Structures are given as structure tokens and as C-alpha cells.
Amino acid sequence: MDQVKDKKILLVEDEPELLRMLETILKRDGFHQVFVAPTVSEALSLTAKCRPDAAVLDVMLPDGDGFTLLGEIKKVRDIPILFLTARGEAEDKILGLGLGADDYIVKPFHPREFTLRLSAVLKRTYASAMKNEMPVMTLPACVIDLGKAEVTKGEETFLLTAKEHAILTALCRNANRVVTTDTLCQCAWGDDSYGYENTLMVHIRHIREKIEINPSDPAALITVKGLGYKLVV
Ligand code: CA
């Protein structure tokens, strides 16, 4: 699990080809929550709707500029912001960093440089939170190591799938509290998680097979009827 790649990235660029290229680079490198906007106004409505964790902004946009957009985004979400600047826009760079931009990338750039810079900014911003999200939980029947995405039960070690990991992370973070079915679906499938309740049940069954002594009579991952699930520790 690379949590950096679970972060939601907003790309704002008015050149359609460049925008498509940036999106392709990110998706190829494993970022799976990428949102794109060609204008300031669309970027702002996406910021409100999709709650990105970082934004990459072009400087010159059809209905405004990246610096004003940075200010508007920062008013509603305190997220890291990277600028894409044309070569020679030295003042743009300085101004961008003075405004609170986290980094900038000069066009044209190497695809690898783009994801490396973005990943570095994400790690810097979210490192401590990401560390805290990866606890080791010791249950009577097993040890769940979320950092390694594995469960050790007796002599056996089971690897967690990405969905199982997302579900268990939410349950561990809220140990001894009910986590609703909706919340768990959202953790595993993102904002468009409507209709995944039955699939969630399948994943819960697989998790029980890994963490319970008797999966059909669970002692740790309890169903709370009509509400959701609870991990008892
Ligand atoms: Ca532009």
C-alpha cells in the first residue's frame, strides 16, 4: 500500500494535450484519484466537490491565473500546491512560492520529475498522518500489521488485499466503535461507493477468515445490525 498514491490530486491546465498527459502520467504511476479542470471556475467547483489533497496549477488560465486560484483554494482547503510554469517565468516562480506554493515545475518537464516532485510534497505534507494511520493491532487471535498489510495468526501469515487493508485501517482507527457500512464503502471505493454493500460483506468475510479463530462466529470483527461493523480489541 502506498498511501501517497491514495491522495486525491487536482490538475488544472488549459492545454488539453498537456492536461491529458499529466493525468496519464499520474494514473500510470499509480495515483487513482485524479481530477482535472481546464479553468479556474471548474477547479474551484471540483475543489468543493472532490476535496483534493493536493493541486497542480498552471499559471495562465483562460478565466484567471494560478496565483489567484491558489489563494481561493487555500481559503477552503489547506493543501499543498505545485505550479507548472513556462521556462523563463522567473517572477512567476518567486511569486508562486511567496504565496505559499509548495513547489514548482518548469515546462517542459520529464514525466518522472513530475511524479517525484508531487510525491515528495505529498510525503512532506502528510508523512506524520500517514505514519499514524499504520498501527499494529494485537487481537486475541492474531496480530494485524497495517504497515506491512499482513495478518499473523499462529504460525500463518496472511497478506491483506488493498480493499481489505482499506477496510481494516478504518476499523482499527475506530477500534471499539461502530463504523458505518457507508463509511467503510467510502474508505474502500471512494466517493462513488454507493451500491457496494454486498461486496463489502464479501470482503468482511475474507477479513474474518484471516483474523478470527472461528470466522463464522466472529469475536473481533462484529456485525452491528443495521449500522455497520466494529473491531473489538
Ligand atoms: Ca495555460
Side-chain angles (χ1 to χ4, degrees), residues 15-211:
E15 284 170 51
E17 264 177 45
L18 182 54
L19 186 58
R20 255 198 311 276
M21 188 187 94
L22 294 169
E23 191 184 9
T24 307
I25 292 170
L26 285 185
K27 291 200 166 158
R28 194 198 57 203
D29 281 356
F31 288 88
H32 55 101
Q33 306 204 75
V34 181
F35 306 94
V36 298
T39 61
V40 167
S41 63
E42 279 178 63
L44 286 174
S45 72
L46 267 182
T47 301
K49 206 172 88 195
C50 304
R51 304 187 302 277
D53 301 304
V56 179
L57 311 181
D58 184 23
V59 176
M60 302 293 284
L61 292 160
D63 57 343
D65 64 77
F67 303 123
T68 316
L69 177 56
L70 176 146
E72 292 298 310
I73 291 176
K74 291 269 187 187
K75 268 187 216 160
V76 288
R77 282 188 74 73
D78 187 19
I79 57 172
I81 292 189
L82 277 85
F83 274 110
L84 295 172
T85 69
R87 196 169 289 282
E89 283 178 317
E91 283 178 357
D92 288 347
K93 289 174 206 167
I94 297 156
L95 184 54
L97 294 170
L99 273 171
D102 293 82
D103 203 355
Y104 63 89
I105 303 165
V106 178
K107 298 190 241 186
F109 48 83
H110 194 275
R112 195 82 199 108
E113 184 194 0
F114 175 58
T115 37
L116 282 177
R117 292 279 197 91
L118 178 61
S119 298
V121 164
L122 285 168
K123 274 183 199 145
R124 218 157 52 217
T125 311
Y126 296 106
S128 58
M130 285 192 284
K131 245 178 249 151
N132 295 338
E133 282 169 11
M134 290 294 177
V136 174
M137 297 292 256
T138 307
L139 304 181
C142 68
V143 175
I144 304 170
D145 187 332
L146 290 170
K148 292 184 185 162
E150 64 182 34
V151 174
T152 308
K153 184 166 67 170
E155 303 279 277
E156 285 178 291
T157 299
F158 303 94
L159 290 177
L160 295 168
T161 66
K163 298 296 179 206
E164 291 166 4
H165 185 271
I167 293 162
L168 259 182
T169 301
L171 287 165
C172 287
R173 250 187 273 152
N174 297 284
N176 297 320
R177 291 197 299 247
V178 179
V179 184
T180 65
T181 304
D182 279 356
T183 302
L184 289 174
C185 285
Q186 203 177 11
C187 291
W189 291 282
D191 291 338
D192 296 319
S193 56
Y194 181 76
Y196 277 97
E197 288 83 356
N198 289 332
T199 318
L200 175 68
M201 280 170 59
V202 175
H203 287 292
I204 293 283
R205 200 174 67 229
H206 291 156
I207 293 171
R208 282 176 174 153
E209 282 161 9
K210 293 174 182 174
I211 71 168

